Every structure is written in structure tokens, then in C-alpha cells.
Amino acid sequence: MSNKQPIGIFDSGIGGSSIFKEIHALLPNESCVYLADSINAPYGNKSREDILRLSIKNTEYLINTGCKIIVIACNTATTNAIDYLRANYSIPFIGIEPAIKPAALNTQTKAIGILATKGTLSSQLFHKTTDLYSERIKIIEQVGDGIVPLIEAGQLNSVELQSLLEIYLKPMLEQNIDYLVLGCTHYPYLIPMLSKMLPEHIKIIDSGRAVANQTNLVLASQDLLNTYSEIPKIEFFSNSDITVLNAILENKFNVNHLKF
Ligand code: DGL
């Protein structure tokens, strides 16, 4: 395995680009291949078997492209498939899970909110984490039904999105949360809207920076960081329309349509 090879990143769609941005900011010397499986988005309401099958398809594509590590930039795919993937492929995997721990350890009101997909909130991995804290604090879980399709459609400022968020945040506000955990990689794109809707004392957190740090650590520990000085190659592939992906990347990267 040569350290010039790219980091492979996949998500059910464009949301994992929020993770790519963190990785690229921390590791600007690394080449990346990003797969947006938008044609199959959202993963959040699919069965565990379907999420696993799609995660295997994305993983095999990235391995065949020559990636040296795979970042599963999707909470739904991580919580449902990472154990299987790690057991069946020798390439290192980095996953993402909702940032429950920092919220649970720092909450003053003893109540935190978590917005994520049904697939994440119903996973065993998620329950294992919440079980560690649920005796000491209130954890208000909310499925973000309908949010991912609106983000995939580029409707980040829409009335529909605002109405959904109002409904989803209401029980959290009633329980006096002081942390809102974004448990889906699409949701960091909600932050501008959420910041306007939430009282100032509520902190919004996600796991993007932690995933980038972990990617760096694993690459360094396996001597896989790119030490060559050539300009890295960053490529995005989507199996659906590329307009919205291009827009959220501000047309800064090479985005291609690809059937996979
Ligand atoms: N962005 C993904 C996540 O982090 C998946 C959202 C979906 O496809 O439902 O969970």
C-alpha cells in the first residue's frame, strides 16, 4: 500500500461532504475519492440488510479504485455496517457516530437532544452508547424524517425544512436541552438555519472534526500519510444529479456523474 493512494469516503449522498471538508482542512496533502450514493438516498429508512448491501457496494468500489483507507462518512452506514466491513475487508475503516459523549459529559441542564436517522437511532451501536449515559441525563432522540431528501434537493433555505425542524426541536426545547447533537452527516448543512431557530445557550455539535482527527491518527500509525509533494487529486462521484453537490462544494472540486 503506497501513501500516495487516496482516502476513500462514502455516504448515502452529499452529506458526507461535510466530513470531507474537515478531512481536507486537516490533511490538505491527501488525495480523496468521494462516493455519493445519492440515487439510493436516504439510507436512514432502509432495512439493516439494505444498508449493509449498499455499504459493501460502496466499499468494494473504493477498494477497486485503490484507496488506502475508507471513511464511512455516514452515521447510518457506520452504526449498521462497520462491524461487518471491518471483519470482512483488511483495509482500515474510520466510522462516524453521533457525538453523545461530549454532550453527555458537559450538559448543565442534564438534557441533550439528538437528531439522527431512524437507521442510526435504532442501531445496536447507538443503544450501546446511550445506555452509558441514560441513567444520569435525559436523552431526547428524534428521527429527522424528511430532512435528508430536502438537503439532497438543495432546499436548505426552504419553508418545508424550517417547518420540519420546528416540529423536531419542540420536544427538545420543552425538556430544556443545552446540547443538540447532529447525528447525520447531512445535518451540519442545517447549522445556519438551526442557529437562527435555537436559543443562544444551546450548543450544536457534530462529529466531523473528530473523524478527521481519527483519520489522521490511523494514517500516521500505519505510515500511510502522503509525504509526496505533488498536488493531491480530489475527485467526487455521484450516481445522481451533480448540481447540488457542486453547489455545496462551491464548484471548487472535480465532480463527476458515475453509475456505481
Ligand atoms: N448522511 C447519512 C448519515 O450520516 C445518511 C442519511 C440518510 O441517507 O438517511 O446518517
PDB file of all heavy atoms in Angstrom, residues 5 16 66 171 179 227 238:
ATOM      1  N   GLN A   5      -1.786   6.856  -2.355  1.00  0.00           N
ATOM      2  CA  GLN A   5      -3.144   6.432  -2.717  1.00  0.00           C
ATOM      3  C   GLN A   5      -4.182   7.273  -1.973  1.00  0.00           C
ATOM      4  O   GLN A   5      -3.905   7.806  -0.898  1.00  0.00           O
ATOM      5  CB  GLN A   5      -3.314   4.940  -2.388  1.00  0.00           C
ATOM      6  CG  GLN A   5      -2.573   4.071  -3.389  1.00  0.00           C
ATOM      7  CD  GLN A   5      -2.485   2.647  -2.914  1.00  0.00           C
ATOM      8  OE1 GLN A   5      -1.553   2.287  -2.186  1.00  0.00           O
ATOM      9  NE2 GLN A   5      -3.442   1.846  -3.305  1.00  0.00           N
ATOM     10  N   GLY A  16     -21.926  13.578   3.446  1.00  0.00           N
ATOM     11  CA  GLY A  16     -20.570  13.260   3.876  1.00  0.00           C
ATOM     12  C   GLY A  16     -19.542  14.269   3.384  1.00  0.00           C
ATOM     13  O   GLY A  16     -18.392  14.266   3.838  1.00  0.00           O
ATOM     14  N   GLY A  66      -8.393   1.719  -5.496  1.00  0.00           N
ATOM     15  CA  GLY A  66      -7.037   1.793  -4.928  1.00  0.00           C
ATOM     16  C   GLY A  66      -6.934   2.649  -3.683  1.00  0.00           C
ATOM     17  O   GLY A  66      -5.845   3.138  -3.355  1.00  0.00           O
ATOM     18  N   PRO A 171     -40.036  19.143  21.197  1.00  0.00           N
ATOM     19  CA  PRO A 171     -39.909  18.350  22.430  1.00  0.00           C
ATOM     20  C   PRO A 171     -38.558  18.539  23.120  1.00  0.00           C
ATOM     21  O   PRO A 171     -38.468  18.464  24.345  1.00  0.00           O
ATOM     22  CB  PRO A 171     -40.054  16.901  21.952  1.00  0.00           C
ATOM     23  CG  PRO A 171     -40.218  16.939  20.485  1.00  0.00           C
ATOM     24  CD  PRO A 171     -40.299  18.339  20.010  1.00  0.00           C
ATOM     25  N   TYR A 179     -27.631  20.927  24.732  1.00  0.00           N
ATOM     26  CA  TYR A 179     -26.799  20.438  23.612  1.00  0.00           C
ATOM     27  C   TYR A 179     -27.705  19.795  22.576  1.00  0.00           C
ATOM     28  O   TYR A 179     -28.604  19.017  22.931  1.00  0.00           O
ATOM     29  CB  TYR A 179     -25.799  19.362  24.082  1.00  0.00           C
ATOM     30  CG  TYR A 179     -24.530  19.950  24.645  1.00  0.00           C
ATOM     31  CD1 TYR A 179     -24.461  20.333  25.979  1.00  0.00           C
ATOM     32  CD2 TYR A 179     -23.417  20.142  23.835  1.00  0.00           C
ATOM     33  CE1 TYR A 179     -23.304  20.899  26.498  1.00  0.00           C
ATOM     34  CE2 TYR A 179     -22.264  20.695  24.347  1.00  0.00           C
ATOM     35  CZ  TYR A 179     -22.203  21.075  25.670  1.00  0.00           C
ATOM     36  OH  TYR A 179     -21.057  21.632  26.166  1.00  0.00           O
ATOM     37  N   THR A 227       3.456  11.697   1.926  1.00  0.00           N
ATOM     38  CA  THR A 227       4.607  12.572   2.162  1.00  0.00           C
ATOM     39  C   THR A 227       5.162  13.137   0.854  1.00  0.00           C
ATOM     40  O   THR A 227       6.154  13.849   0.847  1.00  0.00           O
ATOM     41  CB  THR A 227       5.720  11.790   2.891  1.00  0.00           C
ATOM     42  OG1 THR A 227       5.915  10.568   2.183  1.00  0.00           O
ATOM     43  CG2 THR A 227       5.346  11.500   4.328  1.00  0.00           C
ATOM     44  N   SER A 238     -20.891  11.049  -8.106  1.00  0.00           N
ATOM     45  CA  SER A 238     -22.277  10.879  -7.668  1.00  0.00           C
ATOM     46  C   SER A 238     -23.015  10.064  -8.718  1.00  0.00           C
ATOM     47  O   SER A 238     -22.795  10.258  -9.917  1.00  0.00           O
ATOM     48  CB  SER A 238     -22.947  12.249  -7.516  1.00  0.00           C
ATOM     49  OG  SER A 238     -24.341  12.076  -7.408  1.00  0.00           O
TER      50      SER A 238
END
